[in-house]
Amino acid sequence: MKHSTFPVQKIATSKLSSINFDNLKFGRDFSDHMLLAEYNDEIWKTPQILPYQPLELFPAASVFHYGQAIFEGLKAHKNDAGEVFIFRADENFKRLNSSAARMSMPEIPEDIFMDGLMQLIELDKDWIPVGDGMSLYLRPFMIADDPFLGVKPSGSYKFMIITSPSASYYSGAVKVKIESHYSRAAVGGVGAAKAAGNYAASLLPAKKAQEEGYDQLIWTDAKNHQYLEESGTMNLMLVKGKKVLTPPLDSKTILPGITRKSILQLAEEWGYEVMERPITVTELVEGIEDNSISELFGVGTAATIAPISVVGYKDNQLQLPDYTKWEFSNKVKQYLEELKTGKVKDTHNWIETL
Ligand code: COI
């Protein structure tokens, strides 16, 4: 397949030497360049790669008022030999376009997303940190920028990719509270889209949980708060005997995670029984109490796996066993991390190498 190459305006002086690679956080520093594509008159114009810089937007730009904004997150890893690996970017491309469809935004052509992404990574590959949990976090996103206050889909958009040398998002296990008042998503809403507003709406409930000593929430269904949905910004999974369980996607209230999909496939290949089915709060609580649930964890791009050590429900704090001994989640985390850094053979065709 022929690949597109887009025009590049290089930064005059790289900022690379000003970054302390020994003290990286998640998403704080940004590499030298960004990709910008603009859409108007119903077509995407040729994107450009530019120095990372502020945007110029009118105060009336519709993203500020009606929130048409979607994003993706994925990572580039580098090994000691300088080879670069990118995990399942085609899945992020597809998901961005399904988020776009739900938010009445235009779909992105594949060459702008995929070729633009690879060209940007190649240009800034010196920014990819090497080491445990380190990556160049890639953030494609789209915003509506029509300066018009009428409530309708914007006529113009910007698609951009920025990249951030980052350390892991979480370290160690997290304490989560089962949320039984606020909701992340309702049937018919936008829970399956990676829409910026979903994250905005999660901030207050998450802050309240943090004030009670938790790290994050387990979201439950909006109707009765009886069924488990997601955990924080991640999908939720649990292990019961030889079964790996996760809530199903059919209500469209749950983000179709790429890490989720990959882990379910691996679980099946490794002989676990995979069950995408509704899981009640009662099943979770009883399963922790009677030790039939052996592992409980969040899964997502940023953390890969975030083991859960404590679940708060009503006035109880339910304790899970020591996560360092969990068989499935530790094995899958190690496998995915080795795959993403080129240490194990890519038998699924999930990795792009630069
Ligand atoms: C992820 O788990 O990959 C996320 O979506 C977190 C991100 C919003 C920082």
Side-chain angles (χ1 to χ4, degrees):
M1 203 176 82
K2 193 179 158 309
H3 289 287
S4 304
T5 306
F6 302 118
V8 177
Q9 188 189 315
K10 278 202 182 160
I11 198 162
T13 313
S14 172
K15 297 179 276 93
L16 192 56
S17 60
S18 68
I19 305 294
N20 182 357
F21 272 71
D22 294 329
N23 189 25
L24 288 175
K25 304 277 183 292
F26 176 85
R28 275 262 171 249
D29 300 301
F30 296 93
S31 72
D32 282 334
H33 298 94
M34 64 186 199
L35 178 130
L36 170 65
E38 301 200 89
Y39 176 96
N40 48 53
D41 298 328
E42 302 193 356
I43 52 165
W44 285 102
K45 308 294 177 312
T46 303
Q48 284 177 280
I49 292 179
L50 300 168
Y52 180 80
Q53 61 191 281
L55 291 176
E56 203 168 71
L57 291 170
F58 283 108
S62 53
V63 64
F64 298 136
H65 305 274
Y66 309 126
Q68 274 182 297
I70 55 175
F71 70 96
E72 276 301 321
L74 68 164
K75 290 173 171 176
H77 291 270
K78 192 157 69 177
N79 66 11
D80 292 335
E83 288 174 295
V84 177
F85 306 94
I86 302 119
F87 183 70
R88 306 196 83 173
D90 54 325
E91 291 288 335
N92 294 91
F93 162 66
K94 286 189 236 156
R95 191 173 61 186
L96 186 81
N97 277 344
S98 74
S99 299
R102 178 61 185 87
M103 302 300 286
S104 275
M105 300 168 88
E107 293 194 359
I108 283 282
E110 187 168 0
D111 67 325
I112 295 183
F113 187 102
M114 294 298 288
D115 298 345
L117 181 70
M118 298 305 160
Q119 192 181 343
L120 183 63
I121 299 168
E122 177 71 45
L123 182 64
D124 279 348
K125 68 178 175 211
D126 291 348
W127 286 81
I128 308 174
V130 180
D132 227 18
M134 300 290 188
S135 65
L136 187 67
Y137 183 75
L138 314 166
R139 172 52 65 87
F141 65 102
M142 196 200 300
I143 56 165
D145 66 350
D146 214 349
F148 175 60
L149 296 183
V151 182
K152 71 172 193 53
S154 175
S156 63
Y157 296 86
K158 285 186 182 2
F159 168 70
M160 305 189 60
I161 307 176
I162 55 174
T163 80
S164 170
S166 292
S168 329
Y169 195 70
Y170 291 112
S171 53
V174 291
K175 290 179 168 187
V176 298
K177 180 189 133 180
I178 295 182
E179 179 59 64
S180 46
H181 173 67
Y182 295 104
S183 306
R184 178 188 167 275
V187 173
V190 298
K194 209 158 171 74
N198 286 339
Y199 295 78
S202 76
L203 299 176
L204 176 70
K207 183 167 154 244
K208 290 193 167 188
Q210 280 150 15
E211 283 162 6
E212 292 172 45
Y214 296 99
D215 299 295
Q216 261 303 347
L217 298 169
I218 289 184
W219 296 105
T220 52
D221 71 283
K223 205 166 169 200
N224 298 313
H225 299 290
Q226 276 177 1
Y227 291 96
L228 308 180
E229 297 224 314
E230 295 193 14
S231 176
T233 60
M234 291 178 283
N235 293 119
L236 182 69
M237 281 190 195
L238 58 87
V239 177
K240 248 187 169 182
K242 260 302 214 185
K243 294 194 195 94
V244 176
L245 271 67
T246 195
L249 302 178
D250 45 13
S251 62
K252 298 240 190 303
T253 54
I254 292 177
L255 191 81
I258 295 156
T259 307
R260 175 189 184 280
K261 179 175 176 173
S262 308
I263 291 176
L264 296 183
Q265 188 174 331
L266 292 171
E268 208 155 88
E269 289 169 13
W270 294 346
Y272 287 82
E273 186 182 348
V274 170
M275 301 182 88
E276 290 179 75
R277 65 150 172 86
I279 305 167
T280 61
V281 171
T282 311
E283 180 178 357
L284 177 69
V285 169
E286 290 178 358
I288 299 174
E289 280 172 347
D290 68 14
N291 293 321
S292 59
I293 293 178
S294 52
E295 307 181 31
L296 177 68
F297 47 95
V299 310
T301 297
T304 306
I305 301 253
I308 293 172
S309 57
V310 172
V311 174
Y313 183 54
K314 297 191 173 154
D315 290 329
N316 296 328
Q317 301 247 328
L318 305 157
Q319 195 84 36
L320 279 117
D322 174 11
Y323 77 91
T324 60
K325 309 217 163 63
W326 295 357
E327 193 183 311
F328 176 71
S329 51
N330 284 314
K331 179 174 164 185
V332 85
K333 183 176 171 127
Q334 186 179 348
Y335 179 84
L336 284 174
E337 281 170 4
E338 289 183 354
L339 182 68
K340 291 177 187 179
T341 47
K343 293 190 189 110
V344 295
K345 197 165 175 294
D346 173 25
T347 53
H348 300 89
N349 218 2
W350 285 348
I351 303 284
E352 177 103 12
T353 310
L354 286 184

